[in-house]
Amino acid sequence: MANKKVICVEIGSKYTRFVEVDYKVKNPKVYHIAAVKTPEGAFEDGMLTVTPEYAAAVKKRMSERGFKAKQVIFSLISTKIASREIFIPKVKENRIAALVEANASDYFPVNLEDYELGHMIMDTVTEENGEEKYKLMVMAFSKAMLAGYEALAEACGLTVIGFDYSGNSVYQFTKKECGSGVSMIIKIDGRSSMITIIDEGSLVLQRTIANGVD
């Protein structure tokens, strides 16, 4: 049985990059990669404005490069994404989202009806009493921000199956390469940069700053 494929997209102020890969497999294979220029003014710190011309350019380039998948995951980068580091009991991973949602008002003192929540496991820690806990990065994405990406997917005939934080993408990609010692990864875009610090394969610190190549 063939592996299910998905298109992953990251949008920056200069370029929109997309890749077709296996979905939910341990060692995903990359099938196609492509990029188009992001129109001037279309992207501003995570907020995306979609024009018919922009959507047509994305759709055309994917067709030219042989993309077949119809489901998409967007990897977002923005200084407007709120994040908190928290500790929770080590439960089954499929229960983490519900646990985060139940306590979200303690993490983010905002109207949560206007936000979507996400999380990533940073590390597993053992307390003095022997109890194991997950160290999580919890994120809140405004629904107003997500609307632009959903509009682009619809215009390209794609179905959104998830949103990821660009920081998680960077961490998952680099943690195996940073297995010993302390490493710093700097991802520079046109108008923002992401700094990731990994110690012995564990995420220690991650911040997005509003300065980039421009």
Side-chain angles (χ1 to χ4, degrees):
M1 181 176 176
N3 289 333
K4 181 179 178 181
K5 300 174 186 176
V6 66
I7 299 171
C8 300
V9 181
E10 183 184 79
I11 300 173
S13 60
K14 296 290 187 183
Y15 292 97
T16 297
R17 302 177 179 91
F18 28 101
V19 57
E20 186 176 43
V21 297
D22 290 324
Y23 185 50
K24 287 190 174 181
V25 298
K26 188 173 182 180
N27 296 299
K29 177 182 176 181
V30 174
Y31 294 92
H32 303 98
I33 59 173
V36 297
K37 285 189 175 181
T38 303
E40 184 69 29
F43 179 88
E44 188 63 44
D45 196 13
M47 301 297 292
L48 182 66
T49 301
V50 179
T51 63
E53 294 78 14
Y54 176 40
V58 171
K59 191 173 181 179
K60 179 182 178 183
R61 186 58 57 87
M62 286 194 295
S63 176
E64 291 172 344
R65 295 297 176 90
F67 283 67
K68 301 296 184 184
K70 294 299 181 182
Q71 295 183 314
V72 61
I73 296 173
F74 288 98
S75 183
L76 311 185
I77 181 168
S78 171
T79 60
K80 296 177 181 178
I81 298 173
S83 62
R84 287 282 304 274
E85 295 174 7
I86 66 168
F87 292 88
I88 65 168
K90 189 178 180 182
V91 298
K92 291 183 178 179
E93 290 193 22
N94 60 5
R95 292 182 55 202
I96 293 177
L99 192 59
V100 168
E101 257 188 62
N103 296 283
S105 59
D106 295 335
Y107 314 143
F108 305 108
V110 295
N111 182 3
L112 290 172
E113 291 184 358
D114 298 329
Y115 289 82
E116 294 284 352
L117 300 177
H119 70 271
M120 65 176 176
I121 300 173
M122 299 171 65
D123 201 1
T124 301
V125 298
T126 303
E127 298 196 331
E128 291 182 359
N129 62 5
E131 182 185 3
E132 286 190 319
K133 289 190 172 183
Y134 280 134
K135 180 182 179 183
L136 298 184
M137 175 79 78
V138 180
M139 296 144 290
F141 305 87
S142 79
K143 291 180 179 178
M145 178 184 294
L146 301 184
Y149 300 88
E150 291 168 341
L152 178 60
E154 183 178 1
C156 293
L158 303 173
T159 300
V160 179
I161 59 171
F163 292 95
D164 193 14
Y165 175 50
S166 183
N168 183 43
S169 303
V170 171
Y171 173 55
Q172 298 300 332
F173 183 76
T174 58
K175 65 180 180 180
K176 291 182 181 179
E177 305 298 325
C178 303
S180 61
V182 179
S183 302
M184 180 167 65
I185 300 95
I186 303 176
K187 180 177 181 295
I188 304 175
D189 191 35
R191 295 170 188 163
S192 64
S193 299
M194 177 173 291
I195 299 169
T196 302
I197 298 177
I198 297 175
D199 184 4
E200 300 294 335
S202 296
L203 179 62
V204 177
L205 180 71
Q206 194 168 68
R207 294 291 183 269
T208 300
I209 58 175
N211 299 91
V213 175
D214 288 349

